[in-house]
Amino acid sequence: MPTPIIVQRGLEAYRTTFDAMRAFTDARTADTPDELWIVEHPPVFTLGLGADPSHVLDAHGIPVVQTDRGGEVTYHGPGQAVIYLLMDLRRARPGARLFAREFVYKIEQSVVDTLAAYNLAGERKPGAPGIYIAGEGPWQGAKIAALGLKVKSNGCTYHGVSLNVAMDLAPFSWINPCGYEGLATVDMRTLGSQASLNEMQSVLAGALMRQLGEPVPV
């Protein structure tokens, strides 16, 4: 599988990135290199295709954007590492394609590996995409990373994953995160990590690159 190009987009309004992802995907050909876009967004709530707008309890003036990804409502804001995966899944292995379920597995494993490097235990929850804090303690079960994708009929993807690094977590309490009432949300700083956003953007991107280069799990 060819190595994706990493693109640093800095701090960028969500609508700008969203429009750019769709334009990139619409224009790509069989020869277009895959890309990972690293970005940080000003505060925004985003709704997936199946989202119930009532899960935005009180936006407090933060923009609410309807998207074409899967999933429910989530929040993006400063201090969150966001990486969008603009990939052609048909390239994943010779003679076959990397199916969306396997792609999601790899993305989630990248987050688990990233957290483990900082002595934080993350885990999956069946039927609830994203990564949650494992083990015991007050933050057990809290969500630390969200995942949402658009997979087009031609196998090309966009949207991606967000990892909470050092955020103002209050806006998560103004929604039902991912449609779950009362779901606790946490960031790495609250769990004791002093890692910077820039550091975590690089570490997560590296973990994604390694996972995407690994054989598809059977």
Side-chain angles (χ1 to χ4, degrees), residues 132-212:
Y132 302 79
I133 296 303
E136 300 179 354
W139 292 107
Q140 189 273 332
K143 190 166 191 173
I144 194 168
L147 189 153
L149 295 170
K150 173 69 173 181
V151 183
K152 300 194 72 173
S153 59
N154 63 359
C156 293
T157 75
Y158 53 103
H159 296 292
V161 62
S162 58
L163 172 63
N164 303 335
V165 179
M167 305 179 67
D168 174 6
L169 295 171
F172 285 106
S173 69
W174 304 339
I175 61 174
N176 291 329
C178 304
Y180 293 99
E181 182 178 357
L183 175 64
T185 307
V186 72
D187 62 5
M188 293 179 64
R189 179 175 58 188
T190 301
L191 297 172
S193 171
Q194 298 303 311
S196 69
L197 177 63
N198 287 343
E199 177 182 345
M200 295 316 304
Q201 288 171 330
S202 297
V203 173
L204 180 56
L208 284 164
M209 297 283 272
R210 286 190 294 275
Q211 277 294 321
L212 294 171

Side-chain angles (χ1 to χ4, degrees), residues 20-146:
M21 286 191 293
R22 288 185 293 180
F24 175 92
T25 303
D26 288 344
R28 68 182 301 166
T29 70
D31 298 321
T32 303
D34 294 328
E35 296 188 359
L36 302 185
W37 290 5
I38 300 176
V39 65
E40 181 184 17
H41 293 306
V44 63
F45 295 117
T46 68
L47 302 174
L49 286 172
D52 182 345
S54 69
H55 287 309
V56 181
L57 307 176
D58 185 345
H60 287 75
I62 293 175
V64 180
V65 178
Q66 178 66 58
T67 78
D68 58 356
R69 63 167 171 78
E72 262 283 354
V73 60
T74 194
Y75 170 71
H76 297 306
Q80 184 183 62
V82 180
I83 301 184
Y84 295 121
L85 297 99
L86 294 93
M87 308 286 294
D88 183 346
L89 300 188
R90 297 168 299 183
R91 299 172 175 166
R93 51 183 175 176
R97 65 175 283 186
L98 175 61
F99 293 103
R101 181 183 61 201
E102 298 163 335
F103 190 48
V104 167
Y105 178 94
K106 285 175 170 288
I107 297 170
E108 290 179 334
Q109 190 61 46
S110 299
V111 177
V112 171
D113 293 346
T114 295
L115 293 172
Y118 292 83
N119 297 313
L120 300 174
E123 65 180 359
R124 300 171 178 84
K125 285 189 176 180
I131 294 299
Y132 302 79
I133 296 303
E136 300 179 354
W139 292 107
Q140 189 273 332
K143 190 166 191 173
I144 194 168

